[in-house]
Amino acid sequence: MNARSLLLLATISKAVLLTGCTEGTDADDQLENALFLLNLPANRWIKYHELPAGDWWRKGHAGLAYDSARGSLLVFGSDTHGDGWDNVVHEFIPRQRAWVHHGVDAHPDTYKINSDGYRVAGGMDVMPWAMHTYDGVDYDPALDSLVVVASPNHNPVNREWPNPEYRPVWIYNLDNRKWSIFDDGIRITPPNFFGAATAFDSADNSLYICRAGLWRLNLTKGEFVKLGSAPKCLHRTMAFDSWRRHLYVFGSYGGTSSITRVDTRLISENPINWEEHKPGGDYCPPYSSVPVAFDENTGVFLLVVNDQKHTTNNKVPNTATTFIYNPETNIYTELIGTRLPGERLNFMMAWDKVHEAFFLLTGNLNDGITVWALRLDPNQVNFQSDP
């Protein structure tokens, strides 16, 4: 049995465990979907699921996290600006090819600032206000919870209330589907986490937050500390390289193809030594917000970058191209034949360790939401040897 066969067998076993409580036709369908994902053609985006425009669609200002316990994608966030009140979690389950919506939006009449000084919505079970989350959504496997680091600055209701003293970090328990607020007791929080970018290091159960400096939140220990300086992270994506234990920040508000990184093993040093890298390899156009994910099997990043040469009159790119970024060689490699629809804002990509595939979400008010899947095989990629 070759290495690929052994890998498939191990991955099928993981997928079967997820379908173990399902019986009959549903179980057969889920196993068929798992096998489909495991046998994706290499290095091509496949349209895996499409939800037409309707009552719900992909919000550009929302974020995505990968639930490693269930092998599902978790979306939270809203475009707000008066035309949306989306403040529930939406879950895509790849093995079912289905979306599950965790409740309904709270009515704006329930929005308030509670006695603890926090913005809350809903009735007996409080929930966050609808808000831009950008790259501020992550999954904490130790707590089996979604963690949201954001602030509803662009929600129109915000103008009707005085500036709150505290802006909470929200925790969504995926077992009981209830929200809670992290309180460190002394409230060591920055003035505003609006536009924060986050990345989770599962090795030490730490969530890194890039906004008004670099922060580390360990919910298991109840520790929340500011570590030092950081790049400006509005409209940027932060991702964790579990092979090298580095944090990477991609993009900039004005657009760049350079990448900033820091070694978390040296992060106790003051000041923090952020390094800016200008990758070689294939030409990658400057980008602002960008969907990025790290492949734990191959040790490289995948990102989908808008094509600047293919734009419409309102500057929304018609197309986007997929690139591999190899941290070891500091080069971009274009994946030929992977052009997709362009997006103004997109923070929605994840690597699924169950099916060993990337998932990317695209869409908008007019197009709904599409789930794309890609299996990366570096052996079939023509990498350049010189940075």
Side-chain angles (χ1 to χ4, degrees), residues 335-357:
L335 270 185
I336 304 300
T338 58
R339 194 154 283 159
L340 290 172
E343 300 285 357
R344 186 188 297 275
L345 286 173
N346 195 343
F347 304 91
M348 298 188 181
M349 188 196 292
W351 186 77
D352 175 7
K353 71 176 184 180
V354 173
H355 303 102
E356 299 182 336

Side-chain angles (χ1 to χ4, degrees), residues 47-302:
K47 186 180 290 187
Y48 186 65
H49 183 271
E50 190 170 20
L51 187 69
D55 294 334
W56 184 69
W57 59 92
R58 193 192 75 86
K59 312 299 196 302
H61 291 90
L64 176 143
Y66 171 69
D67 177 349
S68 57
R70 299 164 185 80
S72 61
L73 309 177
L74 304 170
V75 173
F76 181 77
S78 173
D79 284 336
T80 60
H81 294 293
D83 57 3
W85 303 97
D86 189 346
N87 68 335
V88 301
V89 174
H90 307 275
E91 179 180 11
F92 182 75
I93 306 173
R95 67 184 186 277
Q96 296 179 3
R97 292 202 194 204
W99 283 98
V100 175
H101 307 288
H102 293 203
V104 296
D105 300 341
H107 195 279
D109 289 346
T110 68
Y111 283 39
K112 62 183 179 182
I113 298 178
N114 68 7
S115 58
D116 292 323
Y118 295 126
R119 293 180 177 97
V120 299
M124 294 293 293
D125 294 328
V126 297
M127 54 201 304
W129 287 14
M131 56 185 171
H132 298 350
T133 55
Y134 299 103
D135 186 41
V137 179
D138 255 293
Y139 173 73
D140 185 330
L143 296 183
D144 189 25
S145 297
L146 188 71
V147 184
V148 177
V149 182
S151 180
N153 290 29
H154 287 189
N155 189 311
V157 176
N158 190 52
R159 295 191 292 267
E160 302 172 11
W161 293 87
N163 233 6
E165 187 175 356
Y166 305 108
R167 295 171 172 85
V169 172
W170 284 92
I171 305 167
Y172 181 71
N173 186 300
L174 287 153
D175 184 37
N176 61 25
R177 296 190 177 183
K178 293 185 182 297
W179 288 97
S180 63
I181 292 172
F182 170 74
D183 194 330
D184 56 13
I186 51 178
R187 297 187 177 184
I188 304 176
T189 56
N192 198 333
F193 265 153
F194 176 80
T198 62
F200 197 86
D201 175 6
S202 58
D204 65 1
N205 290 326
S206 291
L207 179 70
Y208 289 96
I209 305 166
C210 179
R211 181 63 169 161
L214 183 68
W215 304 72
R216 183 170 58 209
L217 172 62
N218 188 311
L219 291 170
T220 306
K221 298 179 179 178
E223 295 177 353
F224 194 18
V225 294
K226 185 173 183 178
L227 301 170
S229 62
K232 294 181 179 179
C233 279
L234 180 62
H235 282 207
R236 303 180 81 171
T237 302
M238 187 160 68
F240 186 71
D241 174 349
S242 58
W243 281 30
R244 304 161 187 89
R245 300 191 59 75
H246 291 170
L247 282 172
Y248 286 81
V249 177
F250 295 83
S252 73
Y253 196 86
T256 184
S257 55
S258 296
I259 299 169
T260 307
R261 80 174 184 194
V262 66
D263 187 338
T264 60
R265 296 166 298 185
L266 306 176
I267 218 154
S268 59
E269 296 180 357
N270 198 6
I272 297 176
N273 184 29
W274 288 93
E275 301 174 348
E276 183 174 347
H277 294 264
K278 297 182 178 180
D282 293 331
Y283 171 75
C284 179
Y287 50 85
S288 176
S289 72
V290 63
V292 178
F294 182 74
D295 186 330
E296 295 180 9
N297 277 352
T298 62
V300 299
F301 290 97
L302 199 71

